[in-house]
């Protein structure tokens, strides 16, 4: 296969990979943050301590994380077809990628929130901050650098998962490497595909590290938390007055 023949294949399948990774990351963050927050808040000694909820949710997350991804794709075929109308291609692959990523990212969110200084939470409570105020004015802002690092790790993991999805009809660079590189013995195309995946992962890691350094440099100091809490307390009476 000549380079001119490879170019359109690489371009189209790169777009498919980016499509799968983008949307699965979006949904993983959308649903994974609430999962991680709930795991943290219901843990022993936390704001909403509920060991039953914590253990049940933790068990579901652990099962989701330990499920082999290739088996998960096949197992979810009927559900994927019901949800998006197809079970193959980039659109079909987004469903299993998302379901695999939510528990993975949820655990990373829980770990990030555990790193927040408990003293800041206690300070927020002493200033009259409720649960929602603690979440949005203390926990998430303080854990933001770690959360960005967690998103970076999740994106890189999904890039690898998308390559696996490509071997069973998911499209993308994995499908290109398997269909042409492996089955048709196009070793040069296989090498180019692997190099491109390495470049994508490297760029994602570099961008994620850069954002984390910027956030860490700007800092999320306790003073910022106190300012946020004061604003939240000032807004609450106004909201109550307007409602009345």
């Amino acid at each position: 296969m000549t380079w001119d023949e490879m170019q359109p294949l690489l371009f189209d399948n790169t777009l498919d990979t980016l499509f799968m990774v983008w949307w699965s990351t979006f949904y993983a963050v959308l649903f994974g943050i609430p999962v991680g927050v709930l795991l943290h808040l219901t843990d022993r000694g936390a704001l909403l301590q509920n060991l039953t909820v914590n253990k049940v949710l933790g068990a579901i997350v652990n099962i989701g994380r330990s499920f082999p991804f290739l088996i998960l794709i096949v197992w979810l075929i009927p559900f994927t077809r019901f949800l998006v109308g197809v079970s193959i291609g980039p659109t079909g692959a987004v469903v299993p990628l998302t379901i695999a990523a939510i528990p993975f990212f949820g655990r990373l969110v829980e770990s990030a929130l555990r790193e927040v200084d408990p003293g800041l939470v206690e300070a927020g409570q002493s200033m009259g901050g409720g649960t929602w105020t603690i979440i949005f004015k203390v926990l998430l802002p303080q854990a933001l650098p770690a959360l960005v690092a967690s998103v970076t790790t999740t994106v890189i993991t999904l890039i690898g998962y998308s390559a696996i999805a490509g071997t069973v009809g998911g499209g993308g660079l994995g499908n290109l490497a398997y269909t042409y590189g492996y089955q048709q013995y196009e070793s040069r195309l296989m090498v180019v595909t692997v190099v491109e995946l390495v470049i994508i992962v490297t760029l994602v890691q570099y961008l994620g590290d850069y954002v984390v350094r910027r956030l860490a440099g700007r800092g999320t100091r306790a003073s910022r938390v106190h300012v946020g809490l004061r604003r939240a307390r000032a807004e609450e009476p106004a909201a109550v007055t307007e409602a009345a």
Side-chain angles (χ1 to χ4, degrees), residues 39 53-63 107:
L39 281 169
V53 172
N54 186 268
K55 289 184 181 299
V56 171
L57 183 58
I60 295 173
V61 168
N62 289 338
I63 292 172
R107 278 299 186 193

Side-chain angles (χ1 to χ4, degrees), residues 197-231:
L197 286 171
V198 171
I199 292 173
I200 293 173
V201 168
T202 302
L203 290 175
V204 170
Q205 186 66 63
Y206 176 82
L207 179 61
D209 291 344
Y210 173 78
V211 175
V212 169
R213 285 195 300 269
R214 294 279 294 184
L215 291 173
R218 187 178 63 183
T220 51
R221 298 182 178 87
S223 59
R224 295 175 181 268
V225 176
H226 291 310
V227 169
L229 288 169
R230 292 193 186 99
R231 288 177 179 174

Side-chain angles (χ1 to χ4, degrees), residues 236-244:
E236 286 174 0
V240 173
T241 303
E242 290 177 2

Side-chain angles (χ1 to χ4, degrees), residues 176-191:
L176 181 64
Y178 179 74
T179 303
Y180 290 90
Y182 176 73
Q183 292 187 327
Q184 299 186 21
Y185 305 104
E186 292 286 350
S187 57
R188 187 169 60 169
L189 181 59
M190 174 80 81
V191 171

Side-chain angles (χ1 to χ4, degrees), residues 123-130 133 137 226-239:
Q125 290 177 295
S126 67
M127 295 177 69
T133 301
K137 299 295 183 179
H226 291 310
V227 169
L229 288 169
R230 292 193 186 99
R231 288 177 179 174
R233 291 186 65 189
E235 291 169 359
E236 286 174 0

Side-chain angles (χ1 to χ4, degrees), residues 83-101:
L83 196 64
V84 298
V86 294
S87 59
I88 59 174
T91 301
V94 169
V95 176
L97 284 170
T98 300
I99 292 176

